[in-house]
Amino acid sequence: MAAGAVAKKYLKERYGVLVRGYLSALGPIRPNSFSWDPVEQNPFFWPDAAMVPGLEAYMDGLRKEGDSIGAEVTVVATGVPPGWGEPIFDRLDADIAHALMSINAVKGVEIGAGFESVRQKGTEHRDEMTPDGFLSNNAGGILGGISTGQDIVARLALKPTSSIRLPGRTIDLEGQPAEIVTHGRHDPCVGILATPLAEAMLAMVLIDHALRHRAQNADVRCETPVIP
């Protein structure tokens, strides 16, 4: 977290890159509307302020049941210049996925359209360009392992913790059937706490690639205009 805070500050001041995140799903619940304004103003990092009381009630119900739930976190980096990354080794999207997947309880990472691209045709998925900019961002701001200049968008799927007080089947040291119950502190959703972690991880990957890009390219300037 400390390194991520430094990386976020450097990226913002040196390159104008803003790294932010929010909780985009709490179990089956998704935001009804979206605004960055309330994200830092509630403990869920939720982008729809009107839904926060309902989320509190939902979590309290899970706590009383002794059960847990999964969550999805979305992180976005705005202002990333085109050209960061590599086409094969140390691809920008691969490094981001590696870092985000290393967060405890993360079981899935997707960039841009992610798994939704399975259901898309090429004519739907491709991010067409015009002189005024891209018409979509299904690639999540990264093409061929290199940043495009669009927002980098990544999502993390976090599992429901299995350490709950409801009995579950297991085996003992002799391999015989047994029952396990977790006593003590019970966290109904670890995903709620993951937004700052995801921001820090994304920021550290981006600053690595920013420094690498500077080392490899020095003061080289490309005449091709940057497409917004």
Side-chain angles (χ1 to χ4, degrees):
M1 291 298 297
V6 173
K8 287 175 66 175
K9 184 175 182 179
Y10 184 88
L11 288 167
K12 184 68 168 61
E13 294 185 1
R14 175 65 176 82
Y15 298 101
V17 175
L18 180 61
V19 178
R20 296 181 289 186
Y22 62 96
L23 193 68
S24 47
L26 179 59
I29 306 171
R30 289 192 175 273
N32 294 327
S33 63
F34 180 85
S35 172
W36 284 110
D37 293 337
V39 170
E40 297 289 339
Q41 307 301 321
N42 67 81
F44 294 91
F45 301 98
W46 196 257
D48 185 345
M51 297 179 65
V52 172
L55 299 181
E56 292 174 345
Y58 179 71
M59 294 306 298
D60 192 48
L62 277 175
R63 180 184 61 80
K64 292 175 179 177
E65 293 172 13
D67 215 335
S68 61
I69 197 70
E72 177 189 273
V73 171
T74 298
V75 281
V76 181
T78 303
V80 177
W84 291 2
E86 297 183 10
I88 300 178
F89 303 107
D90 299 322
R91 293 167 56 100
L92 180 57
D93 46 358
D95 282 352
I96 290 172
H98 185 182
L100 296 179
M101 196 73 185
S102 70
I103 298 173
N104 292 344
V106 171
K107 286 298 182 181
V109 174
E110 62 178 10
I111 310 291
F115 287 100
E116 183 60 31
S117 61
V118 174
R119 291 175 283 276
Q120 294 176 328
K121 295 181 179 179
T123 49
E124 298 172 303
H125 181 79
R126 64 185 180 185
D127 297 321
E128 296 181 281
M129 293 180 284
T130 73
D132 297 322
F134 286 90
L135 300 181
S136 59
N137 190 18
N138 288 303
I142 304 171
L143 280 171
I146 299 173
S147 62
T148 65
Q150 295 178 277
D151 288 356
I152 291 178
V153 182
R155 281 174 291 275
L156 303 68
L158 294 108
K159 69 173 184 176
T161 176
S162 58
S163 54
I164 55 179
R165 60 180 173 82
L166 299 179
R169 289 175 292 181
T170 186
I171 58 174
D172 59 21
L173 293 175
E174 285 73 40
Q176 298 302 310
E179 186 177 78
I180 184 170
V181 177
T182 303
H183 297 283
R185 183 178 179 275
H186 170 63
D187 197 336
C189 183
V190 296
I192 295 173
L193 308 175
T195 298
L197 295 172
E199 291 179 6
M201 283 296 197
L202 178 58
M204 286 190 287
V205 172
L206 290 177
I207 199 169
D208 278 348
H209 278 271
L211 296 174
R212 183 180 302 177
H213 184 270
R214 186 179 71 179
Q216 291 175 334
N217 297 283
D219 294 324
V220 172
R221 294 291 180 266
C222 179
E223 299 301 322
T224 304
V226 175
I227 298 175

mmCIF file of all heavy atoms in Angstrom, residues 106-132:
data_model
loop_
_atom_site.group_PDB
_atom_site.id
_atom_site.type_symbol
_atom_site.label_atom_id
_atom_site.label_comp_id
_atom_site.label_asym_id
_atom_site.label_seq_id
_atom_site.Cartn_x
_atom_site.Cartn_y
_atom_site.Cartn_z
ATOM 1 N N VAL A 106 -8.157 -13.377 -4.918
ATOM 2 C CA VAL A 106 -8.510 -13.105 -6.316
ATOM 3 C C VAL A 106 -8.476 -14.407 -7.106
ATOM 4 O O VAL A 106 -7.503 -15.142 -7.071
ATOM 5 C CB VAL A 106 -7.555 -12.075 -6.942
ATOM 6 C CG1 VAL A 106 -7.779 -11.962 -8.446
ATOM 7 C CG2 VAL A 106 -7.749 -10.713 -6.282
ATOM 8 N N LYS A 107 -9.559 -14.693 -7.823
ATOM 9 C CA LYS A 107 -9.664 -15.916 -8.612
ATOM 10 C C LYS A 107 -9.844 -15.646 -10.098
ATOM 11 O O LYS A 107 -9.912 -16.579 -10.900
ATOM 12 C CB LYS A 107 -10.840 -16.769 -8.100
ATOM 13 C CG LYS A 107 -10.552 -17.462 -6.781
ATOM 14 C CD LYS A 107 -9.386 -18.424 -6.928
ATOM 15 C CE LYS A 107 -9.084 -19.178 -5.651
ATOM 16 N NZ LYS A 107 -7.923 -20.087 -5.824
ATOM 17 N N GLY A 108 -9.933 -14.388 -10.481
ATOM 18 C CA GLY A 108 -10.072 -14.068 -11.889
ATOM 19 C C GLY A 108 -9.726 -12.621 -12.158
ATOM 20 O O GLY A 108 -9.980 -11.756 -11.319
ATOM 21 N N VAL A 109 -9.108 -12.368 -13.314
ATOM 22 C CA VAL A 109 -8.775 -11.007 -13.740
ATOM 23 C C VAL A 109 -9.145 -10.884 -15.208
ATOM 24 O O VAL A 109 -8.869 -11.785 -16.004
ATOM 25 C CB VAL A 109 -7.275 -10.700 -13.560
ATOM 26 C CG1 VAL A 109 -6.932 -9.331 -14.141
ATOM 27 C CG2 VAL A 109 -6.878 -10.759 -12.092
ATOM 28 N N GLU A 110 -9.786 -9.790 -15.579
ATOM 29 C CA GLU A 110 -10.066 -9.539 -16.980
ATOM 30 C C GLU A 110 -9.723 -8.096 -17.330
ATOM 31 O O GLU A 110 -9.822 -7.196 -16.499
ATOM 32 C CB GLU A 110 -11.516 -9.853 -17.332
ATOM 33 C CG GLU A 110 -12.560 -9.027 -16.614
ATOM 34 C CD GLU A 110 -13.977 -9.380 -17.057
ATOM 35 O OE1 GLU A 110 -14.163 -10.386 -17.769
ATOM 36 O OE2 GLU A 110 -14.898 -8.635 -16.695
ATOM 37 N N ILE A 111 -9.275 -7.914 -18.566
ATOM 38 C CA ILE A 111 -8.905 -6.602 -19.074
ATOM 39 C C ILE A 111 -9.923 -6.201 -20.124
ATOM 40 O O ILE A 111 -10.223 -6.983 -21.033
ATOM 41 C CB ILE A 111 -7.501 -6.612 -19.709
ATOM 42 C CG1 ILE A 111 -6.471 -7.256 -18.774
ATOM 43 C CG2 ILE A 111 -7.084 -5.197 -20.100
ATOM 44 C CD1 ILE A 111 -6.145 -6.467 -17.538
ATOM 45 N N GLY A 112 -10.469 -5.002 -20.006
ATOM 46 C CA GLY A 112 -11.442 -4.532 -20.993
ATOM 47 C C GLY A 112 -12.696 -5.385 -20.997
ATOM 48 O O GLY A 112 -13.258 -5.693 -19.948
ATOM 49 N N ALA A 113 -13.106 -5.827 -22.182
ATOM 50 C CA ALA A 113 -14.321 -6.646 -22.287
ATOM 51 C C ALA A 113 -14.143 -7.999 -21.626
ATOM 52 O O ALA A 113 -15.115 -8.645 -21.238
ATOM 53 C CB ALA A 113 -14.700 -6.825 -23.756
ATOM 54 N N GLY A 114 -12.902 -8.457 -21.494
ATOM 55 C CA GLY A 114 -12.637 -9.708 -20.794
ATOM 56 C C GLY A 114 -13.397 -10.887 -21.370
ATOM 57 O O GLY A 114 -13.400 -11.118 -22.578
ATOM 58 N N PHE A 115 -14.074 -11.629 -20.495
ATOM 59 C CA PHE A 115 -14.786 -12.824 -20.928
ATOM 60 C C PHE A 115 -16.013 -12.504 -21.770
ATOM 61 O O PHE A 115 -16.520 -13.374 -22.479
ATOM 62 C CB PHE A 115 -15.169 -13.677 -19.717
ATOM 63 C CG PHE A 115 -13.992 -14.382 -19.099
ATOM 64 C CD1 PHE A 115 -13.384 -13.882 -17.963
ATOM 65 C CD2 PHE A 115 -13.473 -15.534 -19.670
ATOM 66 C CE1 PHE A 115 -12.288 -14.512 -17.403
ATOM 67 C CE2 PHE A 115 -12.382 -16.174 -19.114
ATOM 68 C CZ PHE A 115 -11.783 -15.671 -17.974
ATOM 69 N N GLU A 116 -16.481 -11.274 -21.727
ATOM 70 C CA GLU A 116 -17.597 -10.883 -22.579
ATOM 71 C C GLU A 116 -17.198 -10.944 -24.051
ATOM 72 O O GLU A 116 -18.049 -11.119 -24.930
ATOM 73 C CB GLU A 116 -18.053 -9.463 -22.220
ATOM 74 C CG GLU A 116 -19.262 -8.966 -22.981
ATOM 75 C CD GLU A 116 -20.505 -9.821 -22.785
ATOM 76 O OE1 GLU A 116 -20.650 -10.411 -21.685
ATOM 77 O OE2 GLU A 116 -21.322 -9.916 -23.727
ATOM 78 N N SER A 117 -15.897 -10.843 -24.341
ATOM 79 C CA SER A 117 -15.432 -10.904 -25.728
ATOM 80 C C SER A 117 -15.719 -12.259 -26.367
ATOM 81 O O SER A 117 -15.745 -12.378 -27.599
ATOM 82 C CB SER A 117 -13.936 -10.587 -25.804
ATOM 83 O OG SER A 117 -13.185 -11.536 -25.070
ATOM 84 N N VAL A 118 -15.931 -13.292 -25.553
ATOM 85 C CA VAL A 118 -16.278 -14.610 -26.084
ATOM 86 C C VAL A 118 -17.570 -14.540 -26.889
ATOM 87 O O VAL A 118 -17.726 -15.232 -27.908
ATOM 88 C CB VAL A 118 -16.424 -15.636 -24.931
ATOM 89 C CG1 VAL A 118 -16.917 -16.981 -25.450
ATOM 90 C CG2 VAL A 118 -15.104 -15.808 -24.202
ATOM 91 N N ARG A 119 -18.500 -13.703 -26.462
ATOM 92 C CA ARG A 119 -19.810 -13.606 -27.099
ATOM 93 C C ARG A 119 -19.865 -12.514 -28.170
ATOM 94 O O ARG A 119 -20.895 -12.326 -28.795
ATOM 95 C CB ARG A 119 -20.875 -13.349 -26.028
ATOM 96 C CG ARG A 119 -21.103 -14.552 -25.117
ATOM 97 C CD ARG A 119 -22.076 -14.234 -23.991
ATOM 98 N NE ARG A 119 -21.426 -13.445 -22.944
ATOM 99 C CZ ARG A 119 -20.706 -13.983 -21.967
ATOM 100 N NH1 ARG A 119 -20.513 -15.284 -21.922
ATOM 101 N NH2 ARG A 119 -20.142 -13.223 -21.045
ATOM 102 N N GLN A 120 -18.775 -11.794 -28.352
ATOM 103 C CA GLN A 120 -18.761 -10.723 -29.335
ATOM 104 C C GLN A 120 -18.230 -11.199 -30.677
ATOM 105 O O GLN A 120 -17.356 -12.058 -30.744
ATOM 106 C CB GLN A 120 -17.886 -9.559 -28.840
ATOM 107 C CG GLN A 120 -18.423 -8.862 -27.611
ATOM 108 C CD GLN A 120 -17.466 -7.789 -27.117
ATOM 109 O OE1 GLN A 120 -16.254 -7.913 -27.249
ATOM 110 N NE2 GLN A 120 -18.008 -6.738 -26.539
ATOM 111 N N LYS A 121 -18.749 -10.601 -31.747
ATOM 112 C CA LYS A 121 -18.178 -10.806 -33.070
ATOM 113 C C LYS A 121 -17.040 -9.816 -33.255
ATOM 114 O O LYS A 121 -16.929 -8.822 -32.540
ATOM 115 C CB LYS A 121 -19.243 -10.600 -34.141
ATOM 116 C CG LYS A 121 -20.371 -11.621 -34.108
ATOM 117 C CD LYS A 121 -21.383 -11.369 -35.205
ATOM 118 C CE LYS A 121 -22.493 -12.405 -35.169
ATOM 119 N NZ LYS A 121 -23.511 -12.162 -36.222
ATOM 120 N N GLY A 122 -16.202 -10.080 -34.253
ATOM 121 C CA GLY A 122 -15.076 -9.194 -34.502
ATOM 122 C C GLY A 122 -15.513 -7.778 -34.796
ATOM 123 O O GLY A 122 -14.856 -6.810 -34.379
ATOM 124 N N THR A 123 -16.636 -7.649 -35.479
ATOM 125 C CA THR A 123 -17.150 -6.314 -35.794
ATOM 126 C C THR A 123 -17.633 -5.576 -34.561
ATOM 127 O O THR A 123 -17.684 -4.350 -34.543
ATOM 128 C CB THR A 123 -18.308 -6.420 -36.796
ATOM 129 O OG1 THR A 123 -19.247 -7.419 -36.331
ATOM 130 C CG2 THR A 123 -17.801 -6.819 -38.171
ATOM 131 N N GLU A 124 -17.976 -6.322 -33.507
ATOM 132 C CA GLU A 124 -18.413 -5.710 -32.252
ATOM 133 C C GLU A 124 -17.233 -5.409 -31.339
ATOM 134 O O GLU A 124 -17.208 -4.385 -30.656
ATOM 135 C CB GLU A 124 -19.380 -6.650 -31.516
ATOM 136 C CG GLU A 124 -20.659 -6.958 -32.255
ATOM 137 C CD GLU A 124 -21.462 -8.044 -31.559
ATOM 138 O OE1 GLU A 124 -20.923 -9.160 -31.359
ATOM 139 O OE2 GLU A 124 -22.609 -7.766 -31.200
ATOM 140 N N HIS A 125 -16.261 -6.311 -31.331
ATOM 141 C CA HIS A 125 -15.174 -6.202 -30.366
ATOM 142 C C HIS A 125 -14.105 -5.195 -30.770
ATOM 143 O O HIS A 125 -13.526 -4.522 -29.915
ATOM 144 C CB HIS A 125 -14.519 -7.577 -30.157
ATOM 145 C CG HIS A 125 -13.402 -7.555 -29.165
ATOM 146 N ND1 HIS A 125 -13.616 -7.542 -27.811
ATOM 147 C CD2 HIS A 125 -12.050 -7.510 -29.326
ATOM 148 C CE1 HIS A 125 -12.458 -7.514 -27.174
ATOM 149 N NE2 HIS A 125 -11.486 -7.484 -28.082
ATOM 150 N N ARG A 126 -13.810 -5.093 -32.061
ATOM 151 C CA ARG A 126 -12.715 -4.227 -32.491
ATOM 152 C C ARG A 126 -12.986 -2.774 -32.099
ATOM 153 O O ARG A 126 -14.104 -2.286 -32.157
ATOM 154 C CB ARG A 126 -12.504 -4.334 -33.998
ATOM 155 C CG ARG A 126 -13.688 -3.840 -34.821
ATOM 156 C CD ARG A 126 -13.461 -4.098 -36.289
ATOM 157 N NE ARG A 126 -14.596 -3.637 -37.078
ATOM 158 C CZ ARG A 126 -14.711 -3.832 -38.396
ATOM 159 N NH1 ARG A 126 -13.763 -4.503 -39.048
ATOM 160 N NH2 ARG A 126 -15.775 -3.371 -39.050
ATOM 161 N N ASP A 127 -11.934 -2.112 -31.683
ATOM 162 C CA ASP A 127 -12.043 -0.710 -31.283
ATOM 163 C C ASP A 127 -11.657 0.164 -32.481
ATOM 164 O O ASP A 127 -10.484 0.456 -32.712
ATOM 165 C CB ASP A 127 -11.130 -0.424 -30.083
ATOM 166 C CG ASP A 127 -11.525 -1.224 -28.848
ATOM 167 O OD1 ASP A 127 -12.734 -1.378 -28.621
ATOM 168 O OD2 ASP A 127 -10.632 -1.691 -28.123
ATOM 169 N N GLU A 128 -12.675 0.554 -33.237
ATOM 170 C CA GLU A 128 -12.423 1.350 -34.434
ATOM 171 C C GLU A 128 -11.930 2.753 -34.059
ATOM 172 O O GLU A 128 -12.286 3.296 -33.016
ATOM 173 C CB GLU A 128 -13.690 1.449 -35.275
ATOM 174 C CG GLU A 128 -14.151 0.093 -35.825
ATOM 175 C CD GLU A 128 -15.393 0.211 -36.677
ATOM 176 O OE1 GLU A 128 -16.486 0.325 -36.076
ATOM 177 O OE2 GLU A 128 -15.294 0.215 -37.914
ATOM 178 N N MET A 129 -11.120 3.310 -34.963
ATOM 179 C CA MET A 129 -10.531 4.626 -34.733
ATOM 180 C C MET A 129 -11.010 5.625 -35.784
ATOM 181 O O MET A 129 -11.222 5.276 -36.943
ATOM 182 C CB MET A 129 -8.998 4.545 -34.779
ATOM 183 C CG MET A 129 -8.377 3.754 -33.657
ATOM 184 S SD MET A 129 -6.557 3.689 -33.786
ATOM 185 C CE MET A 129 -6.372 2.490 -35.094
ATOM 186 N N THR A 130 -11.167 6.853 -35.338
ATOM 187 C CA THR A 130 -11.452 7.977 -36.218
ATOM 188 C C THR A 130 -10.473 9.095 -35.847
ATOM 189 O O THR A 130 -9.796 9.011 -34.818
ATOM 190 C CB THR A 130 -12.894 8.483 -36.043
ATOM 191 O OG1 THR A 130 -12.993 9.192 -34.781
ATOM 192 C CG2 THR A 130 -13.896 7.331 -36.052
ATOM 193 N N PRO A 131 -10.376 10.141 -36.654
ATOM 194 C CA PRO A 131 -9.503 11.259 -36.278
ATOM 195 C C PRO A 131 -9.866 11.879 -34.937
ATOM 196 O O PRO A 131 -9.032 12.511 -34.290
ATOM 197 C CB PRO A 131 -9.696 12.253 -37.431
ATOM 198 C CG PRO A 131 -10.089 11.401 -38.592
ATOM 199 C CD PRO A 131 -10.930 10.308 -38.017
ATOM 200 N N ASP A 132 -11.118 11.673 -34.502
ATOM 201 C CA ASP A 132 -11.567 12.235 -33.223
ATOM 202 C C ASP A 132 -11.348 11.284 -32.050
ATOM 203 O O ASP A 132 -11.572 11.666 -30.905
ATOM 204 C CB ASP A 132 -13.048 12.608 -33.304
ATOM 205 C CG ASP A 132 -13.308 13.694 -34.327
ATOM 206 O OD1 ASP A 132 -12.474 14.614 -34.432
ATOM 207 O OD2 ASP A 132 -14.325 13.618 -35.036
#
